[in-house]
Amino acid sequence: MKRIAVIGAGAAGCFCAAELQRLRPDFRVDVYESGPKALAKVAVTGGGRCNLTNSFEGIRSLAEAYPRGERLMKRLLKQFSQEDAWRWFESAGVPLVLQEDHCVFPQSQDAMDIVHALLRRMEGANLLLRTPVSSVMPGPTGHLFVDGEPYDAVVVTTGGAPKGLPMLDGLDLEWVPTVPSLFTFTILDEGLRSLMGLVVDASVAIPGTAFKADGPLLITDWGLSGPAVLKLSSYAARHLHEAGYQAPLSVNWLALNEARAREILQETAAENPRKQVSNTPVAGLQGRLWNYLIAKAGLRSDIRWAELGSKGLNRLVSTLTQDAYAIAGKTKFREEFVTCGGVALGNLDPATLESKRHPGLYFAGEVLDIDAITGGFNLQAAWTTGATVARSIAAK
């Protein structure tokens, strides 16, 4: 009987174990987990609803979804795609729904349905909870040893590892330092924070760089959040880490270029010359936000459109399209935590995710130097890499 060890009972590890049970029920699969339960992170992802994948319909280039690892993901998605993930979970008894934003959730909106489906498909594997692994070492027989136990193959799926992987210290693997990704921004501007709860379709950027993102922007009591900020934090993860999470931020509240914004304001002025600017928000901006931006542009609260003049118009256009703030730190996104970095992809056979230096040693999930924006893409990477490894081991 072949013995397989999976280290880490998260999304990638459990999916890999489930696929191994399906493909090779004659194998013995041991799943090591240092924590008290499996799939703890899956249970809370998506606000407890589990955004398990994405249709990818809104993605023009895979690099938009995967700032790191897009080339490998492009290859691996041909082996196990988002459509394959949809079929897999529905065949496991979990009906799915596609939202307008292209995100895929269980029809029940309950992440525990995904957890239970994975655990059912893992039946037959040995789930070893509260069992941390301290070392993985090659042995003289060609086996790999996990804390002294011999295995024919070992799959490392330990997730993001901010302190690296001491268990692999003796294996001479290239490691890309890990830093946080998918976080919200602390903004100290009290005027902005007083607008907490408002959501605007906007664009955000870090001036002086190419980092930019758009989408819903949520104003919170600590600063800014929402898909636009989470995407920007992913794209600029290393840049912001190196800057100590202190950086300028530009907000385009209209998500329009300056010329188009100017046209909209001029049209509004022509149609409403006697009305107060404060009473006629443009482009669907909420009244509270509109009045905050008018004050920030240095305009009187009672000024009328006919009184605005070219200087007033310029100030308002600038505020709407290039509103300046300072990022003063990061805040974790709920219980979710994603890192960029991990095992360097150059260590691995890109078709199988097996170590080039250590036959029988595989990697899947967030432990790899692959990470994605919010929207189900990180879990899709877990399913895809987990399936790739399971099929590689089963075939070998």
Side-chain angles (χ1 to χ4, degrees):
M1 178 183 290
K2 297 293 184 183
R3 300 185 69 198
I4 314 299
V6 178
I7 305 174
C14 288
F15 198 86
C16 181
E19 278 292 274
L20 282 168
Q21 287 300 117
R22 180 181 70 84
L23 295 168
R24 294 301 302 262
D26 56 318
F27 284 5
R28 169 176 167 167
V29 180
D30 294 336
V31 182
Y32 291 83
E33 170 55 46
S34 62
K37 58 184 177 181
L39 298 161
K41 190 172 175 181
V42 173
V44 299
T45 187
R49 298 188 299 135
C50 192
N51 179 191
L52 73 156
T53 187
N54 193 286
S55 70
F56 286 69
E57 292 174 27
I59 300 299
R60 294 163 295 183
S61 165
L62 207 58
E64 293 181 9
Y66 295 96
R68 288 151 290 273
E70 76 279 3
R71 290 183 180 178
L72 181 59
M73 283 303 299
K74 185 175 183 179
R75 175 175 186 157
L76 297 183
L77 283 167
K78 294 176 182 177
Q79 300 182 40
F80 192 87
S81 68
Q82 64 272 23
E83 290 90 354
D84 294 322
W86 183 297
R87 286 189 289 268
W88 196 96
F89 282 100
E90 289 215 320
S91 71
V94 185
L96 305 179
V97 293
L98 175 64
Q99 296 187 164
E100 289 184 5
D101 61 0
H102 314 305
C103 294
V104 178
F105 287 85
Q107 192 175 76
S108 64
Q109 302 291 299
D110 187 352
M112 293 308 297
D113 284 355
I114 300 299
V115 171
H116 293 148
L118 284 164
L119 293 175
R120 284 195 302 271
R121 288 283 179 96
M122 285 173 62
E123 287 181 5
N126 304 305
L127 183 56
L128 307 172
L129 299 176
R130 295 187 174 90
T131 310
V133 171
S134 60
S135 71
V136 177
M137 296 293 293
T141 61
H143 289 81
L144 289 164
F145 287 80
V146 175
D147 288 346
E149 284 289 313
Y151 287 94
D152 297 280
V154 174
V155 188
V156 178
T157 62
T158 48
K163 298 180 180 179
L165 286 179
M167 73 177 75
L168 303 178
D169 280 351
L171 298 183
D172 190 27
L173 291 170
E174 183 185 353
W175 179 265
V176 179
T178 54
V179 301
S181 181
L182 290 189
F183 48 85
T184 64
F185 296 160
T186 299
I187 306 290
L188 300 181
D189 187 304
E190 293 296 338
L192 178 71
R193 286 157 52 157
S194 70
L195 302 173
M196 61 177 289
L198 294 184
V199 180
V200 186
D201 282 323
S203 294
V204 288
I206 299 176
T209 75
F211 300 121
K212 180 181 178 181
D214 53 27
L217 181 66
L218 170 64
I219 302 173
T220 69
D221 60 346
W222 66 85
L224 292 171
S225 182
V229 162
L230 294 172
K231 282 196 286 185
L232 184 62
S233 77
S234 180
Y235 296 151
R238 291 204 176 278
H239 172 84
L240 289 170
H241 174 76
E242 292 167 3
Y245 304 101
Q246 309 285 320
L249 180 72
S250 177
V251 179
N252 183 332
W253 295 101
L254 302 180
L256 298 171
N257 61 42
E258 185 177 317
R260 180 56 187 145
R262 186 179 300 277
E263 287 178 4
I264 290 174
L265 292 179
Q266 289 172 334
E267 290 167 2
T268 304
E271 294 169 2
N272 306 279
R274 296 185 178 182
K275 288 187 177 180
Q276 291 185 356
V277 174
S278 59
N279 294 333
T280 47
V282 301
L285 292 180
Q286 300 95 328
R288 283 197 298 149
L289 175 59
W290 177 243
N291 280 282
Y292 163 76
L293 294 172
I294 289 172
K296 196 168 184 187
L299 302 177
R300 301 192 326 268
S301 60
D302 62 347
I303 194 170
R304 301 179 186 278
W305 284 103
E307 302 172 314
L308 198 57
S310 61
K311 289 184 178 179
L313 180 65
N314 290 340
R315 290 203 300 269
L316 189 54
V317 169
S318 178
T319 302
L320 288 170
T321 61
Q322 302 176 55
D323 197 11
Y325 297 94
I327 299 171
K330 65 177 176 61
T331 308
K332 192 164 67 172
F333 178 47
R334 298 195 180 117
E335 291 87 3
E336 298 174 66
F337 184 75
V338 173
T339 57
C340 73
V343 175
L345 304 183
N347 289 298
L348 310 177
D349 180 333
T352 64
L353 301 182
E354 183 178 17
S355 169
K356 294 176 181 177
R357 296 179 182 176
H358 304 286
L361 179 63
Y362 297 79
F363 296 87
E366 195 185 339
V367 72
L368 295 166
D369 187 21
I370 298 173
D371 67 284
I373 62 173
T374 186
F377 300 104
N378 282 295
L379 277 179
Q380 181 60 52
W383 317 138
T384 295
T385 56
T388 297
V389 169
R391 294 174 182 184
S392 301
I393 293 173
K396 187 175 179 181

